[in-house]
Amino acid sequence: MKRWTILLGRGGAILIAIGCATFLVSLIPSATVGNFKGNGGLWAETWDVRYENVLSPQQGLSVSVTANSTIKVYLLEVRFQTIYEWINETHPHLYETNPSQMFNETYLTEFLEANPQTVAIEREIGDGGTNFEYTPTKVTNVSLVFCNPNPSFTQISYEGYMLLIIAPKAKMQILSQITIPVGFVLTLPWIVAYSKTKKKSMRNF
Amino acid sequence: MQKGKGKPFLEVFASAIHEDYRFPILELFVFFYALGTFALASFGSALLTMGASEEAVAYSLTSSVLGTPLFVFVILVFKNLAYGFGSDIEKGVIQTYLSYPLKRHQILSAKLLSAIGLSLLILLGIQIPALYLLAPDVVTPYFVVVLLTYAANLSPILFISGIILLATLMLRRGGLALVFGIVLYFAFSIASSMLMFVAFATKSSAALQIISLFYPSTALSRYYGMQFYPGIGEVWAPTFPEVALYIGASYLIAIFTFAMAYTYFCRRFSV
């Protein structure tokens, strides 16, 4: 058997092994380890944080939100305290004059424009609702922020689950979908050569 | 390498690979390394340590995937060195290699490249991309921390591998050298744990410094503030240059054992 055939074949077998391992990992279901939910409203042109936690790449978040009017939903990779402190530093007299103004939509927009890297997910929902899943790529703080840009009070309802995952399922599936077929193609010449050698030795026997 | 010597070197290397990694040994190890990385990866300690730096998170994640796979790596390397190389000596295969137009150190290098080099390539080649898939924003900015963690954890294994190689060459019996290696590995692990407790009990940093010469991962874990005993942080908190020094020293010790094995094989070893 030619050496390059063996080399390609073993390389292909390694790819199949990697593909099988990642496929097996992708089959492991995620576990729900905690939940949160709430109903309430948001005053006109205000924002609020309704959930915050520290997540790792092995912890995901599944959130569903409904509202009776158009609102913006953000999942920010930052603590509520950080947003609050940023607004406080940028507008130092705001807290002294009117603390409730801290939650004015304008200041959240300013914060997001100055720190666009903190936005993990941004959704605008109308009369219906939205669902999203999020898994961070590092250990990070996350805050679920609702922003009501309307000139009137909006009723919102939200529910979320914290998911425990072993590895990002989608990435694992894509990897196994690539490596297994490529590995199989690479091993083919090796398998053919091996079966020919076997046949020849059987005939000689 | 001199001109024309490449082919015999590759012949010995190919033959060593064929012996060390018969189908499906390599594939099984790749499968378990890949599976083990995802199954064992944990951010638990990073999340528990309030205010842990991102570097510490990268260290903690890398350390978490090294436990069992590192033990599997030890088995593979010890098997290749003691059993593989030992049986080559017993069966007289080495005698055939010595008839090749190659210097003795080249023969040993080809064997070690297969026994240790390829095993290392499999471990790192599987685990680091797997870590990247799991947490790209932890691995990419702190790639040096990831590599440093691997370097700190691999040096004691390389040190014991050097001793096993020397024992295999001297004893000329693979089985015996393998048993010797396993006993040595456990003896070092037990001694390390005992010294760690002594350091904790006597509040003396000297014991931790001695361990760090052979197990630099001890110094690295202290640098990142990982606590194996409560209050150990007050006993010893090494700086980064100190950690680098311990890692360097441990590799110097490992290189010394391999240099001894090379010297023995080139000058004293007779078939």
Side-chain angles (χ1 to χ4, degrees), chain A residues 9-25 175-176 179-180 183-184 187, chain B residues 23-35 126:
Chain A
R10 294 300 294 273
I14 287 170
L15 283 180
I16 292 172
I18 292 170
C20 288
T22 50
F23 178 68
L24 203 64
V25 169
L175 190 69
S176 63
T179 51
I180 293 175
F184 188 70
T187 39
Chain B
F23 182 81
I25 290 176
L26 189 65
E27 288 75 7
L28 276 175
F29 273 90
V30 166
F31 177 78
F32 285 116
Y33 279 151
L35 202 61
I126 297 290

Side-chain angles (χ1 to χ4, degrees), chain B residues 48-63:
Chain B
L48 286 173
T49 317
M50 291 301 286
S53 67
E54 291 190 344
E55 273 180 300
V57 171
Y59 167 77
S60 167
L61 171 68
T62 314
S63 296

Side-chain angles (χ1 to χ4, degrees), chain B:
Chain B
M1 197 181 287
Q2 286 169 22
K3 204 179 172 184
K5 288 206 173 171
K7 212 176 172 194
F9 180 85
L10 286 177
E11 283 294 329
V12 177
F13 180 53
S15 157
I17 289 175
H18 182 72
E19 283 303 314
D20 291 340
Y21 307 96
R22 281 178 182 277
F23 182 81
I25 290 176
L26 189 65
E27 288 75 7
L28 276 175
F29 273 90
V30 166
F31 177 78
F32 285 116
Y33 279 151
L35 202 61
T37 306
F38 294 112
L40 299 166
S42 164
F43 294 85
S45 54
L47 288 171
L48 286 173
T49 317
M50 291 301 286
S53 67
E54 291 190 344
E55 273 180 300
V57 171
Y59 167 77
S60 167
L61 171 68
T62 314
S63 296
S64 72
V65 299
L66 269 169
T68 314
L70 210 60
F71 185 67
V72 174
F73 173 75
V74 166
I75 294 169
L76 185 64
V77 170
F78 287 8
K79 175 242 138 260
N80 288 346
L81 277 178
Y83 194 72
F85 201 53
S87 64
D88 276 358
I89 296 169
E90 279 178 64
K91 288 174 190 166
V93 181
I94 289 291
Q95 202 168 5
T96 316
Y97 289 152
L98 289 174
S99 67
Y100 282 33
L102 276 176
K103 285 183 177 164
R104 282 186 171 211
H105 69 87
Q106 287 175 315
I107 295 169
L108 191 59
S109 297
K111 294 292 286 181
L112 289 181
L113 210 58
S114 160
I116 301 174
L118 200 60
S119 304
L120 207 58
L121 193 72
I122 299 166
L123 179 78
L124 299 179
I126 297 290
Q127 284 209 324
I128 293 177
L131 281 176
Y132 178 79
L133 273 176
L134 190 65
D137 287 342
V138 174
V139 174
T140 313
Y142 300 104
F143 193 64
V144 175
V145 177
V146 173
L147 290 183
L148 212 62
T149 311
Y150 274 102
N153 281 284
L154 286 168
S155 77
I157 295 168
L158 293 176
F159 165 62
I160 296 171
S161 300
I163 295 176
I164 289 179
L165 178 66
L166 197 61
T168 310
L169 292 172
M170 284 175 160
L171 298 169
R172 290 155 188 273
R173 288 171 73 184
L176 205 61
L178 186 64
V179 172
F180 174 71
I182 291 167
V183 169
L184 199 68
Y185 179 75
F186 277 108
F188 264 91
S189 303
I190 292 164
S192 152
S193 297
M194 283 168 72
L195 274 174
M196 198 96 77
F197 189 78
V198 167
F200 175 63
T202 60
K203 305 282 179 207
S204 153
S205 64
L208 287 174
Q209 286 163 343
I210 294 168
I211 303 168
S212 297
L213 269 179
F214 297 94
Y215 290 88
S217 55
T218 310
L220 195 65
S221 67
R222 284 302 317 119
Y223 175 71
Y224 287 118
M226 303 295 154
Q227 307 259 359
F228 12 83
Y229 287 112
I232 201 90
E234 294 157 22
V235 177
W236 191 41
T239 58
F240 188 77
E242 276 181 299
V243 173
L245 208 68
Y246 280 107
I247 293 174
S250 73
Y251 273 92
L252 278 179
I253 295 169
I255 289 167
F256 177 71
T257 58
F258 277 98
M260 277 174 61
Y262 265 91
T263 311
Y264 184 83
F265 186 71
C266 294
R267 294 188 184 169
R268 294 201 171 182
F269 183 78
S270 57
V271 188

